[in-house]
Amino acid sequence: MENKTALITGGSGYLGSHLSKALKKAGWNVVIFDLRVPMHRYYDNLYIGDIIDADCVSEVLGHYKIDTVFHLAGRIEVGESMKHPTTFWNVNVGGTANLLYHMKYYGIDKIIFSSTAAVYLPDKIPLDEEQIQCSNSVYGNTKRACEQMILDSGIHYGIFRYFNLAGADPAGEMGEMHDPETHLIPNILKNLNTFEIYGNDYNTKDGTCVRDYVHVSDVADAHVKAAMEVRKESFVLNLGLGKGYTILDIISIIESELKIKVNYTFAERRLGDPDFLVANVDLAKTKLDFKPKHDITSIVKTAYGWHKKLSENDRIKI
């Protein structure tokens, strides 16, 4: 049987790279749509273009026989979204509307979408998919709007609300390289002597915010499974470990597991950051048999292995 073809918007990025590898391993043809050339080899075709450019989106969807679109492209920086709201609405919402319009035009009827835990009203209990949604940040608002567009589109969908993606490919082929880097663990590793914690007055056990971290490879594997399940039934699922860690917990784990010292100071809180965000992943376990292979120790160790490799290549000094 002919291999199915996946289009990954944002396939050159952090999750997109790991997803490309997982899809190729599962026998898919992979087409990447991105603004930049990938640093990995796990794709069959590459289209350099912008998700908000209607001509680009039409050309790539019309040229290839796409079975499933994995829509990862978008802006993700919570703090930046509060400073530049219209940019985030243009890219995240405008880009998704553009993509859905052309998917309908070309008869492509399956989409797996990257959403976020930032859509939820935060609570101290693990958040399930029925939890109240609210306006926490511009970034979260744009993702809520995209989710609603997808629900309204009539296209079969799998929507994943990620908690905190972290870690790196265990084989060391890829990892986090955001510019700017806003994720906690790579920022700690890049700034071991000058790390700043944004806020120490959260309503948590040690004053720093609590987050649920999930390994990027586990999330990529869930996407591959989702592409088969979405043929049967659309769904919205959380992806996380189901356990929360404060920033100071993460620093303690890094110090104990990696035998390195983290020197940190406290800075002002960032706009849009809630106290607690922890996932209830029971539905993902039931729907996709989601069983993460990587715990928080593995997340930290694989992230460190990737950043050591970058440092040795004189890309990032840690």
Side-chain angles (χ1 to χ4, degrees):
M1 185 171 65
E2 183 181 355
N3 290 354
K4 295 189 180 300
T5 297
L7 175 71
I8 308 177
T9 71
S12 300
Y14 176 41
L15 175 57
S17 299
H18 291 78
L19 176 56
S20 296
K21 183 175 181 177
L23 284 167
K24 289 301 298 176
K25 183 178 178 181
W28 286 69
N29 295 319
V30 173
V31 179
I32 287 177
F33 181 97
D34 207 303
L35 287 168
R36 57 191 175 90
V37 176
M39 294 181 65
H40 63 83
R41 55 187 172 86
Y42 295 102
Y43 61 95
D44 299 281
N45 300 96
L46 171 65
Y47 187 99
I48 300 297
D50 196 326
I51 196 69
I52 64 174
D53 187 320
D55 290 339
C56 287
V57 173
S58 180
E59 185 173 347
V60 72
L61 291 182
H63 184 75
Y64 299 100
K65 186 179 179 182
I66 304 297
D67 177 79
T68 304
V69 173
F70 295 84
H71 182 30
L72 317 183
R75 294 291 301 272
I76 65 170
E77 310 90 350
V78 173
E80 286 298 303
S81 78
M82 307 301 282
K83 299 174 186 176
H84 307 290
T86 54
T87 297
F88 275 69
W89 278 91
N90 184 42
V91 174
N92 292 356
V93 179
T96 300
N98 189 26
L99 181 65
L100 292 172
Y101 174 83
H102 287 95
M103 286 180 66
K104 294 287 284 188
Y105 181 82
Y106 288 108
I108 301 167
D109 67 348
K110 290 179 285 294
I111 186 169
I112 310 297
F113 176 63
S114 293
S115 191
T116 173
V119 303
Y120 289 124
L121 178 67
D123 202 329
K124 289 189 177 182
I125 63 172
L127 302 167
D128 63 37
E129 289 81 2
E130 299 302 316
Q131 186 77 16
I132 296 171
Q133 297 186 44
C134 72
S135 179
N136 296 307
S137 65
V138 173
Y139 165 64
N141 291 343
T142 64
K143 289 295 189 176
R144 289 172 66 204
C146 291
E147 285 192 15
Q148 190 59 56
M149 273 197 292
I150 291 169
L151 267 61
D152 290 343
S153 71
I155 294 171
H156 298 295
Y157 61 85
I159 294 172
F160 283 126
R161 293 174 181 157
Y162 311 141
F163 282 64
N164 283 49
L165 293 187
D169 174 49
E173 292 187 304
M174 55 196 70
E176 289 196 75
M177 286 185 66
H178 297 116
D179 183 20
E181 183 59 73
T182 59
H183 287 180
L184 177 69
I185 293 172
N187 264 331
I188 294 174
L189 297 176
K190 289 168 62 178
N191 300 283
L192 290 174
N193 294 316
T194 58
F195 181 65
E196 287 190 328
I197 299 174
Y198 295 110
N200 62 350
D201 59 349
Y202 290 91
N203 184 23
T204 62
K205 67 178 184 179
D206 59 26
T208 62
C209 57
V210 173
R211 296 291 182 267
D212 186 341
Y213 299 86
V214 60
H215 198 284
V216 63
S217 294
D218 287 325
V219 171
D221 289 342
H223 281 64
V224 178
K225 287 185 179 180
M228 303 307 298
E229 291 299 320
V230 76
R231 303 173 196 279
K232 308 171 190 175
E233 182 182 14
S234 295
F235 54 81
V236 179
L237 298 177
N238 290 336
L239 290 182
L241 283 181
K243 183 175 182 180
Y245 299 88
T246 68
I247 293 176
L248 291 179
D249 284 336
I250 297 298
I251 289 174
S252 177
I253 292 166
I254 287 173
E255 291 184 328
S256 63
E257 294 294 333
L258 305 180
K259 310 303 179 187
I260 55 179
K261 177 66 177 173
V262 180
N263 296 308
Y264 60 86
T265 57
F266 292 104
E268 291 185 6
R269 291 173 64 157
R270 296 183 302 187
L271 291 173
D273 278 347
D275 296 355
F276 286 85
L277 280 176
V278 178
N280 180 331
V281 292
D282 290 347
L283 193 57
K285 291 177 182 177
T286 300
K287 184 72 178 175
L288 295 182
D289 193 29
F290 180 62
K291 296 176 182 176
K293 300 173 185 176
H294 300 274
D295 61 11
I296 193 65
T297 299
S298 178
I299 286 171
V300 165
K301 286 183 174 179
T302 56
Y304 186 57
W306 169 247
H307 283 280
K308 280 182 66 178
K309 181 177 180 179
L310 290 178
S311 180
E312 290 163 1
N313 290 337
D314 290 324
R315 292 179 185 165
I316 296 178
K317 300 294 184 182
I318 61 174

